[in-house]
Amino acid sequence: MASVLIVDDHAVVRGGLRQFLADTDDLEITAEAASGLDAIALVEKGDWSLVLLDIALPDVNGLEVLKQIKRLRPGLPVLIFSMFSEDEFAIPSLEAGASGFLNKDSPPNQILTAIRTVVGGARYLSPTLAEKLLAGVAPVGRKLAHETLSRRETEVLLMLSKGTSLTRIGEILHVSVKTVSTYRARIIEKLGVQSNAELTRYVIEHRLG
């Protein structure tokens, strides 16, 4: 059973989706948040298969919440579920790390398809947006963060994730500790994390080690 965190400030929307997904055998809303800050706090403490996120929130813009979620849990799929225009917000959402964009006016079967697609690890694009991407109207989605690392940065990342000290990494690579620190700083910036613990979690979530 895939667990879903829904982030929407309208109780009617949350209730409707909860009831809608209750009729499925593979999806369940296990947590709800009515604001961006509440959503971020839940993501820090819990674990879900998917976050269903609105853009229009009362405290923090949904796209900023998305960025915070991806910093905390890079491997956690986020599906934007909004009344805003796909033409205006779909591409920025994808560029910020979303796994898909879905308009709230979408028919039930499309909502289920989108959620199941994203839970399954793929990106969801509406037929309209997919056609635009294929036609070259919109840019193709960006690379995963770790795919931007150099070979040496990847080596350092994997050693850091195993708890290897900077001094020991320097000895293994025959470089100074200062150079290793520079590699670490670049890795942290590229992956959008804050600590070695988050680096380790990133490696585990993306099965890099």
Side-chain angles (χ1 to χ4, degrees):
M1 180 75 75
S3 58
V4 178
L5 164 62
I6 179 171
V7 185
D8 196 297
D9 62 329
H10 292 97
V12 172
V13 174
R14 299 197 306 271
L17 280 168
R18 192 188 321 111
Q19 184 175 358
F20 175 54
L21 295 186
D23 293 332
T24 70
D25 296 325
D26 57 332
L27 302 168
E28 180 183 11
I29 292 178
T30 56
E32 301 176 15
S35 71
L37 293 178
D38 286 346
I40 293 168
L42 284 170
V43 169
E44 284 182 317
K45 296 183 292 185
D47 189 24
W48 288 270
S49 307
L50 168 73
V51 176
L52 200 57
L53 175 65
D54 192 8
I55 292 177
L57 297 172
D59 53 354
V60 184
N61 180 277
L63 292 182
E64 182 57 36
V65 175
L66 168 62
K67 293 174 184 177
Q68 293 288 345
I69 290 174
K70 299 309 288 187
R71 290 190 190 104
L72 291 168
R73 300 287 179 89
L76 175 59
V78 178
L79 176 62
I80 298 297
F81 188 60
S82 175
M83 285 299 297
F84 288 165
S85 166
E86 178 182 80
D87 287 343
E88 185 176 357
F89 286 94
I91 296 303
S93 297
L94 295 172
E95 290 178 342
S99 295
F101 185 98
L102 186 66
N103 193 279
K104 287 183 179 179
D105 287 336
S106 301
N109 63 325
Q110 189 175 356
I111 294 174
L112 279 179
T113 296
I115 292 175
R116 286 171 172 153
T117 297
V118 173
V119 166
R123 279 190 169 190
Y124 175 80
L125 302 176
S126 72
T128 302
L129 182 58
E131 185 177 347
K132 290 179 180 178
L133 287 169
L134 289 173
V137 175
V140 178
R142 63 180 182 178
K143 291 182 177 180
L144 292 173
H146 63 268
E147 294 177 340
T148 66
L149 299 178
S150 67
R151 180 183 60 80
R152 180 51 59 88
E153 287 168 349
T154 300
E155 291 174 349
V156 173
L157 168 64
L158 295 178
M159 285 188 276
L160 287 171
S161 72
K162 296 173 183 176
T164 309
S165 69
L166 298 185
T167 300
R168 180 55 184 153
I169 293 174
E171 293 173 351
I172 293 171
L173 299 180
H174 305 291
V175 298
S176 68
V177 173
K178 183 177 180 181
T179 298
V180 177
S181 295
T182 299
Y183 283 133
R184 179 181 179 276
R186 290 177 185 168
I187 293 166
I188 283 177
E189 180 180 358
K190 288 182 179 181
L191 299 188
V193 299
Q194 303 295 325
S195 65
N196 283 3
E198 291 184 19
L199 286 176
T200 300
R201 185 165 61 197
Y202 185 98
V203 168
I204 294 172
E205 289 179 345
H206 290 81
R207 301 178 181 178
L208 302 179

